[in-house]
Amino acid sequence: MSYTKRILIETYEKNSWQKEFIQAATEILTSIADFVDNNPIYERESVLERLVEPERQIVFRVPWVDDSGKIQVNRGYRVQYSSVIGPYKGGLRFHPSVNLSVIKFLGFEQIFKNSLTGQSIGGGKGGSDFDPKGKSDREVMSFCNSFMTELSFHIGAHTDVPAGDIGVGAREIGFLFGQYRRMKRQFDGVLTGKGIGYGGSLGRKEATGFGLIYLVEEMLKSHKNSIADKTVIISGSGNVAIYATQKAIELGAKVVALSDSNGFIYDRDGVDLAVIKEIKEVRRGRINEYIKYKKNAVYTEGRGIWGVKCDVALPCATQNELDVNDAKLLVKNGVIAVGEGANMPSTLDATDYFIKNKILFAPGKAANAGGVATSALEMAQNASMTNWSFDRVDAKLKTIMQNIYANIAQAAIEAGKPDNYVVGSNIAGFKRVADAMIAQGI
């Protein structure tokens, strides 16, 4: 039995109930199997055994008081996965679906994503099953204060630097940072995604969406194509989807569909980004409100966005939102490229189907690395007590994404699987981390 297969079986036996984590581990270990098995040093040094097991898993109670005066209790998590190339770095997710499996999957993926950026940041992830939707500002503050009261014992500017994720935006980051500052009585870069007036970075809000488009454009250019004049559909309508839409439009594409958890809108004339921003960023409304502004647009309940004909599809909502039937529909309708703006939004079967049908496929750990890359740029600004211009940050982001594409493309070629960017991403991300583990001993 091969080394990677043995570790995958052992990982399943230890974590069989953690379906999201098992999915991520299967995807990564399967794709790097040939590379690892052809380099016996990784088995001699037990690299995979050490890599799949987090350095630390923290689970804690989060009591808080709602507006009626009742005490509520949620569960908080922080999984510190790997620190061999830098302090733990990864977002906090506040959503009812959060559990240890979800956090471990996200943290495991984060190791490779952060490695691909070329920056000195390790992998971690955290969050809670708390749902900020429908909560007042006071309730969200009460929860965030309680959450940070415990989390503050485990993080620091050179130890673990969380950021935002689903359910954790500017409001939540502000409350979390304020509580950390009060408890520690110090002002440092312990969180990224902060407000511009208190240590945040210009360009951070746009970074994941912009970075996604920069990498997809680089991928298309390498195949003598471009996103210009292409019809694009994007799932989601949050931060990533909005700024992917913006950059795609700037580069000449026409984005015709966006979605939220209830359904999707289709605008054959191309979505009006100003309207989307008003609905989602200003009023925090639902995507179905778009048709009140645009009479030619159509709203459809459910998850049928992948049935919209397009050239480029960008899943930017959540994990496993695009299954193999969706993939078949996209291929049938002529899609030429898929870029993952969310974390693991395509199922394994869907990913395999795209690759077998020679669709250009950019996996999330490469395609959505722009957010964490810019978070690291925010850390650099905090450390030097400086503020960079938007253009400087954006230029660095574009260069990082171009370098990521070049590295994963080269790794895929060296593995004998040109254009398989899943293999390329995983090998390129793994090699840097694994070599650092070996160099540092146990």
Side-chain angles (χ1 to χ4, degrees):
M1 184 182 297
S2 72
Y3 175 44
T4 49
K5 186 174 182 180
R6 175 171 62 83
I7 298 306
L8 191 54
I9 291 172
E10 292 176 1
T11 301
Y12 178 83
E13 289 173 347
K14 290 180 180 179
N15 308 276
S16 58
W17 68 271
Q18 298 175 1
K19 62 179 183 178
E20 293 87 0
F21 170 60
I22 291 297
Q23 180 182 341
T26 300
E27 183 262 314
I28 290 170
L29 295 188
T30 300
S31 67
I32 65 174
D34 290 343
F35 175 77
V36 171
D37 293 335
N38 289 331
N39 290 275
I41 188 173
Y42 297 128
E43 183 172 10
R44 288 200 305 271
E45 297 291 337
S46 298
V47 167
L48 293 183
E49 292 93 328
R50 292 191 276 158
L51 192 62
V52 298
E53 193 67 32
E55 293 177 8
R56 194 170 294 104
Q57 301 179 65
I58 304 153
V59 183
F60 52 96
R61 180 182 64 193
V62 188
W64 57 280
V65 181
D66 66 20
D67 284 344
S68 69
K70 181 174 174 53
I71 297 172
Q72 303 288 345
V73 178
N74 287 95
R75 184 173 289 177
Y77 303 89
R78 188 67 180 172
V79 174
Q80 297 172 330
Y81 233 110
S82 174
S83 60
V84 293
I85 62 172
Y88 308 107
K89 187 83 189 79
L92 298 171
R93 176 175 293 192
F94 292 169
H95 191 272
S97 66
V98 166
N99 56 39
L100 187 58
S101 174
V102 169
I103 297 301
K104 283 182 65 179
F105 126 62
L106 292 168
F108 192 55
E109 289 268 307
Q110 199 78 42
I111 300 171
F112 303 89
K113 180 191 301 186
N114 293 359
S115 174
L116 287 172
T117 69
Q119 297 161 301
S120 297
I121 43 177
K125 204 74 179 184
S128 173
D129 55 6
F130 171 78
D131 188 357
K133 286 184 180 178
K135 304 291 193 305
S136 70
D137 287 350
R138 196 211 65 80
E139 288 176 319
V140 172
M141 181 173 65
S142 176
F143 172 82
C144 288
N145 287 352
S146 181
F147 183 87
M148 181 53 77
T149 297
E150 174 61 30
L151 188 66
S152 65
F153 295 112
H154 310 288
I155 62 176
H158 302 286
T159 305
D160 184 346
V161 185
D165 192 76
I166 293 173
V168 180
R171 173 183 61 172
E172 289 77 16
I173 290 291
F175 292 151
L176 291 165
F177 182 77
Q179 181 70 352
Y180 180 88
R181 179 185 56 78
R182 287 186 291 271
M183 292 190 65
K184 296 294 186 179
R185 290 194 267 181
Q186 61 189 41
F187 192 106
D188 60 29
V190 72
L191 285 164
T192 55
K194 300 184 294 297
I196 300 301
Y198 61 96
S201 174
L202 292 168
R204 175 60 187 91
K205 178 174 64 173
E206 297 86 353
T208 307
F210 278 21
L212 169 63
I213 301 302
Y214 289 146
L215 189 136
V216 169
E217 175 70 349
E218 201 68 16
M219 180 173 69
L220 288 168
K221 281 171 58 180
S222 74
H223 292 81
K224 298 180 171 36
N225 212 327
S226 170
I227 202 169
D229 301 320
K230 300 296 187 296
T231 299
V232 180
I233 61 174
I234 302 177
S235 66
S237 50
N239 192 62
V240 180
I242 285 173
Y243 291 99
T245 299
Q246 179 172 320
K247 183 55 65 175
I249 292 171
E250 288 177 5
L251 295 183
K254 181 166 74 170
V255 179
V256 297
L258 289 166
S259 67
D260 62 16
S261 57
N262 291 338
F264 67 95
I265 54 111
Y266 170 72
D267 188 338
R268 65 186 182 189
D269 300 321
V271 299
D272 187 324
L273 187 59
V275 172
I276 295 293
K277 286 185 175 182
E278 169 66 24
I279 294 169
K280 303 302 290 190
E281 293 190 330
V282 178
R283 295 193 290 102
R284 300 188 184 187
R286 305 304 295 172
I287 199 73
N288 61 5
E289 298 175 27
Y290 183 85
I291 61 174
K292 298 177 182 177
Y293 297 82
K294 298 291 178 177
K295 301 304 180 184
N296 290 332
V298 177
Y299 172 75
T300 304
E301 290 279 344
R303 55 178 300 279
I305 190 171
W306 307 120
V308 176
K309 187 175 176 60
C310 67
D311 303 304
V312 177
L314 305 175
C316 294
T318 190
Q319 68 262 22
N320 292 327
E321 59 171 296
L322 194 161
D323 63 24
V324 69
N325 292 324
D326 299 320
K328 290 177 179 178
L329 196 53
L330 284 166
V331 172
K332 179 182 177 182
N333 285 335
V335 74
I336 62 170
V338 177
E340 294 189 320
N343 292 303
M344 205 169 70
S346 305
T347 64
L348 293 178
D349 288 344
T351 299
D352 289 342
Y353 191 83
F354 286 133
I355 293 171
K356 287 175 181 176
N357 283 273
K358 302 188 182 307
I359 305 303
L360 297 177
F361 181 81
K365 64 177 61 66
N368 71 24
V372 73
T374 305
S375 285
L377 299 179
E378 181 177 330
M379 292 166 63
Q381 293 171 75
N382 291 166
S384 60
M385 300 183 70
T386 57
N387 296 101
W388 300 346
S389 69
F390 179 91
D391 288 344
R392 181 179 179 185
V393 173
D394 190 45
K396 286 182 176 290
L397 168 64
K398 186 174 183 179
T399 298
I400 289 169
M401 300 310 294
Q402 289 172 333
N403 288 340
I404 289 174
Y405 175 74
N407 290 336
I408 67 175
Q410 183 60 36
I413 291 170
E414 292 175 358
K417 297 182 178 180
D419 296 340
N420 187 328
Y421 302 121
V422 173
V423 169
S425 297
N426 289 331
I427 290 176
F430 168 80
K431 188 176 186 305
R432 183 181 177 210
V433 174
D435 291 351
M437 291 173 70
I438 294 169
Q440 294 175 30
I442 60 170

